[in-house]
C-alpha cells in the first residue's frame, strides 16, 4: 500500500536521507516545506511534489489534501531545526498524520509528555529515527552484553569529533537556544545507543561543557562510560589529522568498528516504522532525559572518571 508523505525541513542536511527512504519504500512525497528554496534534489526523487516556503500555505495545502482519500497524507516527516520539532510534530498530528521526526524529538521530558497528550487527542503517533539501533555492529555488541554475566559492568570510552567550519556558528546549530548545545545536537543518538546496549542510566556527571565541546561520565546498568563530544578540529587525534571526523567506541579496551554501514539506516528505520515496529515517544525518553540533565548540570571537573581527551583540556 503506497502512502503519501509530507516533508518539513526539505532544505536541511538530513532531508535527502528521508526523501530517499520515502522513495525506496515505495511511497510518495506529495508536498514539502522549507523557508529556504535550495531543494533541487527533489527533482531526482519526487519531481511532482508541491513545495512551499511559508508554513501557512504548506499547512493549508496539506489540510486540503484530506478531502480525497487518494491524496490524503499518511505521514509527515520532520527534518527542521531542533527547536521547531515540537510545534512541527504537533502540527503533523493535527493534520491527521502519523509523524516521523529526526532526533532530538524535543529538548525536555515535559515536552514529550505534551506530545503524548496530542497523540491522545488526535489518535495518531510519533516515531523517531534511532538509526544506530539498526546498525549491525551495535546489535552485535548488544547481544554480547546480554550474554555476559548479569553482574558484568563494561568500561566504555566514547569519542566523537566531527569538525565544523565557521558556518556552524552562524547557523541555527551554533545557537544553543535552537540546537540546545553540542551534547544534544551531535550526541543524542549516541546516548540513545548507550541506553539501548547497556540498559538504564544510573548516574551522570558533566566534566566540561562549552560552545564547541562537552565531556562527562555516565553509568548504566551494564557499563561505566567516559564520553567526549566535539566540533573542534583541534581535538582530532594526531593519527587522524587530515580527516574531519573521528568516531571511536572502546569496550573494555577493545575498539568497536562501526565507521561503515550507515548508508541505508534511515531507509531501514522507515521500513520498521511502516511495518508497525517503529520507535515512539517512550523509546526516545531516556536520551531526552540524558541530554536535558547534561545541559542543566554544573560541570564538575574533579570527578575521577574523566575521558582521556578531557584530561588534556583540564591539564
Amino acid at each position: 500500500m503506497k502512502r503519501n508523505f509530507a516533508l518539513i525541513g526539505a532544505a536541511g542536511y538530513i532531508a535527502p536521507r528521508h526523501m530517499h527512504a520515502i522513495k525506496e519504500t515505495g511511497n510518495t512525497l506529495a508536498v514539502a516545506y522549507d523557508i529556504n528554496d535550495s531543494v533541487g534534489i527533489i527533482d531526482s526523487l519526487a519531481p511532482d511534489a508541491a513545495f512551499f516556503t511559508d508554513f501557512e500555505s504548506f499547512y493549508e495545502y496539506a489540510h486540503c489534501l484530506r478531502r480525497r482519500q487518494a491524496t490524503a497524507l499518511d505521514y509527515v516527516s520532520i527534518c527542521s531545526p531542533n527547536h521547531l520539532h515540537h510545534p512541527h510534530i504537533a502540527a503533523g498530528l493535527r493534520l491527521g498524520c502519523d509523524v516521523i521526526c529526526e532526533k532530538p524529538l524535543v529538548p525536555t521530558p515535559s515536552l514529550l509528555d505534551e506530545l503524548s497528550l496530542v497523540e491522545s487527542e488526535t489518535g495518531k503517533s510519533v516515531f523517531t529515527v534511532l538509526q544506530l539501533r539498526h546498525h549491525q555492529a551495535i546489535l552485535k555488541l548488544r547481544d554480547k552484553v546480554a550474554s555476559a554475566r548479569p553482574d558484568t559492568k563494561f568500561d566504555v570510552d566514547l569519542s566523537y569529533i566531527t569538525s565544523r567550519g565557521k558556518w556552524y556558528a552562524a547557523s541555527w546549530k551554533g545557537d544553543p537556544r535552537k540546537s540546545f548545545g553540542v551534547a544534544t545536537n551531535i550526541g543524542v543518538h549516541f546516548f540513545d545507543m548507550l541506553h539501548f546496549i547497556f540498559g538504564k542510566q544510573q548516574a551522570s556527571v558533566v566534566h566540561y561543557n562549552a560552545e564547541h565541546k562537552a565531556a562527562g561520565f555516565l553509568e548504566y546498568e551494564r557499563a561505566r562510560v567516559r564520553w567526549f563530544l566535539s566540533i573542534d578540529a583541534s581535538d582530532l587525534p594526531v593519527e587522524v589529522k587530515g580527516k574531519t571526523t573521528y568516531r571511536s567506541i572502546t569496550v573494555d579496551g577493545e575498539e568497536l568498528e562501526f565507521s561503515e554501514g550507515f548508508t541505508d539506516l534511515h531507509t531501514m528505520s522507515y521500513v520498521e516504522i511502516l511495518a508497525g515496529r517503529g520507535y515512539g515517544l517512550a523509546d526516545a525518553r531516556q536520551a531526552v532525559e540524558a541530554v536535558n540533565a547534561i545541559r542543566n548540570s554544573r560541570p564538575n571537573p574533579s570527578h575521577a572518571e574523566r575521558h582521556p581527551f578531557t584530561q588534556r583540556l583540564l591539564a
Side-chain angles (χ1 to χ4, degrees):
M1 174 178 147
K2 186 171 279 195
R3 282 93 159 186
N4 293 322
F5 278 76
L7 178 65
I8 296 176
Y13 163 78
I14 206 68
R17 298 189 193 180
H18 287 258
M19 294 183 201
H20 279 285
I22 292 167
K23 182 177 181 179
E24 289 168 9
T25 52
N27 297 299
T28 301
L29 177 59
V31 55
Y33 157 72
D34 202 292
I35 59 171
N36 298 306
D37 58 10
S38 298
V39 291
I41 191 171
I42 292 178
D43 288 343
S44 64
L45 295 169
D48 294 328
F51 176 71
F52 297 92
T53 57
D54 65 273
F55 189 78
E56 295 79 5
S57 297
F58 160 80
Y59 192 88
E60 177 63 17
Y61 180 87
H63 193 273
C64 289
L65 291 175
R66 299 177 66 182
R67 292 174 179 159
R68 293 178 54 232
Q69 185 175 353
T71 61
L73 295 173
D74 300 292
Y75 286 87
V76 175
S77 295
I78 296 173
C79 308
S80 53
N82 296 350
H83 70 297
L84 296 174
H85 285 179
H86 174 253
H88 285 161
I89 292 169
L93 293 171
R94 290 174 178 137
L95 277 171
C97 302
D98 291 321
V99 173
I100 300 172
C101 185
E102 271 294 336
K103 60 210 161 300
L105 273 181
V106 287
T108 65
S110 62
L111 286 178
L112 286 177
D113 296 335
E114 174 63 27
L115 288 178
S116 181
L117 289 175
V118 184
E119 282 187 327
S120 299
E121 292 165 355
T122 60
K124 296 298 178 178
S125 300
V126 181
F127 301 98
T128 188
V129 179
L130 302 175
Q131 73 268 33
L132 289 182
R133 294 192 182 200
H134 301 298
H135 195 290
Q136 288 304 306
I138 301 303
L139 292 170
K140 185 177 179 180
L141 176 59
R142 189 173 190 244
D143 289 342
K144 176 182 176 180
V145 170
S147 64
R149 284 178 43 181
D151 60 347
T152 303
K153 274 212 176 183
F154 297 84
D155 289 309
V156 179
D157 279 355
L158 166 65
S159 315
Y160 182 51
I161 303 164
T162 178
S163 52
R164 296 289 186 262
K166 294 179 180 179
W167 68 269
Y168 190 94
S171 75
W172 65 265
K173 295 182 179 183
D175 183 345
R177 297 169 300 175
K178 297 179 178 180
S179 69
F180 310 118
V182 69
T184 299
N185 194 46
I186 71 168
V188 66
H189 57 299
F190 286 112
F191 297 127
D192 174 75
M193 176 200 72
L194 291 168
H195 161 63
F196 180 65
I197 297 171
F198 298 111
K200 186 177 179 181
Q201 182 182 308
Q202 297 176 327
S204 175
V205 178
V206 176
H207 295 134
Y208 190 90
N209 200 355
E211 183 180 4
H212 296 119
K213 63 198 78 176
F217 170 78
L218 288 163
E219 186 164 2
Y220 295 87
E221 292 174 293
R222 306 296 305 274
R224 294 176 289 267
V225 182
R226 303 184 299 181
W227 60 270
F228 182 89
L229 304 168
S230 174
I231 58 168
D232 185 350
S234 68
D235 290 320
L236 290 165
V238 174
E239 61 268 24
V240 298
K241 289 298 182 183
K243 297 184 179 180
T244 60
T245 299
Y246 174 74
R247 184 191 293 110
S248 173
I249 297 177
T250 61
V251 180
D252 285 348
E254 182 179 345
E255 183 83 21
L256 173 68
E257 174 52 50
F258 74 122
S259 56
E260 304 297 331
F262 287 88
T263 307
D264 299 319
L265 293 184
H266 273 73
T267 298
M268 191 175 298
S269 296
Y270 270 66
V271 168
E272 292 298 298
I273 290 168
L274 294 169
R277 299 186 295 268
Y279 293 116
L281 296 179
D283 300 293
R285 182 171 291 272
Q286 193 282 329
V288 169
E289 290 176 344
V291 294
N292 182 61
I294 288 167
R295 279 196 311 275
N296 291 290
S297 294
R298 178 175 295 179
N300 177 16
S302 63
H303 188 278
E305 296 282 357
R306 293 198 296 251
H307 190 284
F309 293 176
T310 312
Q311 301 276 41
R312 191 170 60 205
L313 283 177
L314 300 176

